[in-house]
Amino acid sequence: MTRRTKIVATIGPACNDEATLVELIEAGADVLRLNFAHATHDQHAATIERVRLAAEKAGREVGLLGDLPGPKLRIGDIAGDVVELDSGSEFTLTTKPTLGDAHGASVTWSGLAAALDAGDTVYLADGSIRLKVLESSGDEVRCEVEIGGALSSHKGLNLPGVDVDLPAVDESDMSWIDFSVEHGIDLLAVSFVRSAADLEPVQARLKQLEVDIPVIAKIEKPQAAQGENAVEIVRAAGGGIMVARGDLGIEMPIASVPLLQKRLLKLAGRHSKPAITATQMLASMVTSPRPTRAEVTDVANAIYDGTDAVMLSEETAVGRNPVEAVKVMAEIARETEPDLPYGEWLLGRTSNDEHEIASSVTQGAVGAVYRLGLAAIVVPTSSGRTARMVSAHRPRVPVLAVSPRIETVRRLNLLFGVRSVLAEQWSGLRDLLAECAMLAEREGVARSGELIAITAGLPEQELGTNLFEVHRVP
């Protein structure tokens, strides 16, 4: 395996054709993100069909991540879809439905005017536009544009310090959950999580629909990023967390974001949960064919801090160089990974509860890699949990996950160091071990005569991950 860090690429107008999607996957995109805040059900359904066809042509399974809109304030429709706001001009935000232009736009929250006073600051378009409130009354907020820029339809609106009383998950989100189940989405991200309770409506709906799609908590609110609240969110998020630095850097002092990122990645590791580092990682590549040196360092530092995946947003969705952005991200990962502290991570990255069987077994399997010189770890898994536990210990050698469920194969594309393949259901333990050894050789992670570790959970014993065997590849 030449790259362990996974790449999440966002689909948008710049790459939403089959040929470009094939190139993205071939360049190294492991998970493709659908932003449900943009486009309709029919449009996203067509995109999903294109992704599956592109993956087949590229010869690689990819995961699909559906990103629920959540309780984010957004601008309504803009005439011509985009308008330029000039610094020094006036701009009015209104709760009345209206088509936006250079003079004003609608906002989807009736409490906007009551929440703001003269002198307050409002940010638009991920913080690139700054407004100063001049007057707020009735259903309008009159502002001065302090920092102008391009504003497009449905862009986000941030009110630092203002508690926006919106439900964590509304009926629109519920419809997207139903859509995701119907169309085979592999992972779901919940936006603007403020507490572990915000994940419960999504998990309850999935349980009602009898599916096990992993739920990822997006950390982009100050109250979710710190203290015991962050711990509870990480514990509750079965699919892990996304460190969404864009909104974090608007909602709180921007200088505090790097330290919070480090703490959140460490926290995810302690609880053996995957983590995605997101937002503006290679932002200059929206227009430039090359990243800045600072951006390259930013990506590398996230990998050094233990992120499972790095994410591209505008870079692939609307950028001029979507495929090149993925290639650059993959190159940074390959250059960074040989220097990672794998041995230190084995002993100190996870909490390793001594009474937790799965944690002890998987740590033992990864430890045997170094003591016995094993070539690879093969993980038969149905749900993906054992593969997640093995990945959390960050083994230096390849991890090959083998599953009879195609959805598990696709979901595991998010995990650091894990490659996954589809296999038939095994009839017994001996068949399982023999096929794992055969697949290790076939997939190129081990050669004949080399030793591998095989670790799994035997369902009949109901102990979770409880099997570890050292096996010689025939």
Side-chain angles (χ1 to χ4, degrees):
M1 182 177 291
T2 57
R3 174 173 56 85
R4 291 173 168 81
T5 308
K6 300 308 180 70
I7 297 172
V8 180
T10 302
I11 300 177
C15 64
N16 198 1
D17 62 273
E18 190 175 310
T20 307
L21 288 170
V22 170
E23 289 188 73
L24 280 184
I25 296 168
E26 291 177 339
D30 301 291
V31 175
L32 296 176
R33 169 178 170 255
L34 300 175
N35 187 350
F36 290 152
H38 303 281
T40 65
H41 284 209
D42 288 344
Q43 289 168 328
H44 279 301
T47 296
I48 292 168
E49 186 175 352
R50 277 192 294 274
V51 168
R52 297 307 187 200
L53 288 172
E56 186 176 350
K57 287 188 176 182
R60 279 185 65 218
E61 291 292 346
V62 294
L64 273 173
L65 168 62
D67 199 333
L68 301 175
K72 184 179 178 77
L73 299 181
R74 296 186 182 277
I75 295 296
D77 290 327
I78 299 288
D81 198 46
V82 63
V83 67
E84 188 73 24
L85 304 190
D86 296 325
S87 298
S89 65
E90 282 199 12
F91 190 79
T92 299
L93 300 168
T94 177
T95 57
K96 292 180 179 179
T98 185
L99 187 63
D101 56 23
H103 304 291
S106 63
V107 178
T108 56
W109 182 39
S110 59
L112 180 71
L116 293 172
D117 297 308
D120 285 347
T121 299
V122 176
Y123 290 97
L124 304 177
D126 295 325
S128 62
I129 298 173
R130 188 176 75 205
L131 310 178
K132 181 180 179 180
V133 176
L134 300 175
E135 181 183 10
S136 180
S137 63
D139 49 26
E140 290 189 348
V141 180
R142 191 166 60 88
C143 306
E144 177 188 357
V145 180
E146 292 191 320
I147 299 177
L151 178 65
S152 56
S153 300
H154 311 298
K155 278 293 184 180
L157 178 147
N158 292 88
L159 311 174
V162 175
D163 185 14
V164 179
D165 186 20
L166 292 173
V169 179
D170 61 16
E171 283 306 311
S172 173
D173 293 308
M174 288 297 181
S175 72
W176 282 116
I177 295 170
D178 296 346
F179 170 89
S180 299
V181 172
E182 181 183 353
H183 291 85
I185 291 291
D186 305 299
L187 302 150
L188 273 176
V190 182
S191 297
F192 293 93
V193 172
R194 292 161 291 192
S195 70
D198 289 345
L199 301 173
E200 292 174 1
V202 179
Q203 293 165 332
R205 185 63 155 241
L206 292 172
K207 184 176 181 179
Q208 178 185 359
L209 295 171
E210 299 181 337
V211 293
D212 60 350
I213 300 175
V215 174
I216 296 169
K218 292 176 67 177
I219 310 296
E220 46 198 336
K221 300 290 285 185
Q223 56 267 50
Q226 304 177 71
E228 189 62 27
N229 211 23
V231 175
E232 293 300 323
I233 290 170
V234 170
R235 286 175 177 163
I241 63 170
M242 181 190 295
V243 186
R245 307 171 311 170
D247 282 283
L248 269 180
I250 301 170
E251 298 277 345
M252 61 194 311
I254 195 168
S256 65
V257 173
L259 180 58
L260 275 178
Q261 174 179 313
K262 285 180 177 291
R263 287 175 175 171
L264 288 166
L265 293 179
K266 184 177 181 179
L267 182 63
R270 295 296 291 172
H271 291 274
S272 300
K273 297 293 180 70
I276 305 168
T277 304
T279 321
Q280 298 178 334
M281 301 214 78
L282 299 177
S284 66
M285 291 194 74
V286 172
T287 55
S288 170
R290 287 177 57 83
T292 68
R293 290 153 183 81
E295 288 168 341
V296 172
T297 302
D298 178 38
V299 175
N301 279 333
I303 296 170
Y304 282 127
D305 288 338
T307 195
D308 284 77
V310 284
M311 192 173 100
L312 296 163
S313 300
E314 290 182 310
E315 299 94 332
T316 53
V318 296
R320 296 177 187 172
N321 311 286
V323 176
E324 188 62 26
V326 173
K327 290 180 179 178
V328 167
M329 196 74 96
E331 182 183 1
I332 297 168
R334 284 193 294 267
E335 287 292 321
T336 303
E337 289 165 358
D339 197 40
L340 296 178
Y342 296 102
E344 294 177 24
W345 278 345
L346 168 64
L347 298 174
R349 187 172 184 270
T350 69
S351 59
N352 289 324
D353 184 344
E354 62 182 10
H355 300 295
E356 223 275 307
I357 293 173
S359 178
S360 297
V361 171
T362 52
Q363 187 185 45
V366 176
V369 166
Y370 306 103
R371 292 189 291 271
L372 303 177
L374 306 183
I377 302 174
V378 183
V379 185
T381 181
S382 177
S383 68
R385 182 175 185 268
T386 300
R388 173 170 64 81
M389 299 292 289
V390 170
S391 171
H393 294 296
R394 295 297 192 257
R396 184 185 290 274
V397 299
V399 178
L400 180 66
V402 181
S403 180
R405 300 177 64 201
I406 187 62
E407 58 267 38
T408 297
V409 170
R410 291 167 176 165
R411 291 165 188 168
L412 293 179
N413 279 331
L414 188 64
L415 298 184
F416 182 94
V418 176
R419 196 167 97 209
S420 51
V421 294
L422 189 66
E424 295 182 4
Q425 188 72 51
W426 304 279
S427 57
L429 180 58
R430 289 297 109 193
D431 288 340
L432 181 151
L433 297 173
E435 184 166 3
C436 284
M438 180 272 293
L439 286 171
E441 184 176 23
R442 191 192 78 182
E443 296 297 323
V445 299
R447 292 174 292 190
S448 177
E450 290 185 320
L451 297 176
I452 60 172
I454 300 175
T455 184
L458 302 180
E460 61 271 16
Q461 296 196 6
E462 299 181 350
L463 292 173
T465 304
N466 64 334
L467 168 70
F468 165 42
E469 175 165 312
V470 176
H471 202 89
R472 189 178 298 280
V473 178

